[in-house]
Amino acid sequence: DANRQISDLKFKLAKSEQEITALEQNVIRLEGQVARYKTAAENAERVEDELKAEKRKLQRELRSALDKTEELEVSNGHLVKRLEKMKANRSALLAQQ
């Protein structure tokens, strides 16, 4: 009976050692995954920061372009008015002759 118990305990010990080995390998695998995920997350954060900076730059450029467009439209309006005045003056001069 004692030999049977010893045999059972040896079997349980061997089984437990196998489980421990499997769990240790699982821990190593999971640590590798964590490292890969951490690297991927850091890269994603870096890319996100770069994209945010690019977005701010593009928004500044857009505001600048819109301001320049508005400025040119105002200038164009003034030039159109001057041209109309010049045409009216020329028509008036031609009518006097």
Side-chain angles (χ1 to χ4, degrees):
D1 191 44
N3 283 338
R4 187 181 55 80
Q5 282 184 333
I6 289 173
S7 178
D8 285 346
L9 291 173
K10 284 182 180 179
F11 175 75
K12 287 181 182 180
L13 176 63
K15 190 173 180 182
S16 295
E17 287 174 345
Q18 285 178 345
E19 288 177 8
I20 289 171
T21 302
L23 291 171
E24 287 173 343
Q25 289 173 350
N26 198 24
V27 166
I28 290 170
R29 182 181 60 81
L30 291 172
E31 286 174 344
Q33 279 184 341
V34 166
R36 285 192 301 276
Y37 290 148
K38 184 177 179 182
T39 301
E42 289 170 352
N43 287 338
E45 288 175 358
R46 180 183 48 79
V47 168
E48 180 185 23
D49 291 343
E50 290 172 358
L51 288 172
K52 284 180 180 178
E54 181 70 13
K55 180 182 176 185
R56 286 191 299 270
K57 177 185 168 195
L58 291 172
Q59 286 175 331
R60 279 193 307 271
E61 289 177 5
L62 175 62
R63 281 193 302 270
S64 175
L66 290 173
D67 290 346
K68 184 68 174 174
T69 300
E70 184 179 350
E71 179 183 317
L72 290 172
E73 286 174 349
V74 169
S75 177
N76 187 46
H78 291 308
L79 291 173
V80 166
K81 288 178 184 176
R82 283 182 60 193
L83 181 60
E84 289 171 359
K85 284 182 183 179
M86 291 173 74
K87 286 180 180 178
N89 287 340
R90 186 180 75 181
S91 295
L93 285 175
L94 289 174
Q96 286 178 358
Q97 293 175 355

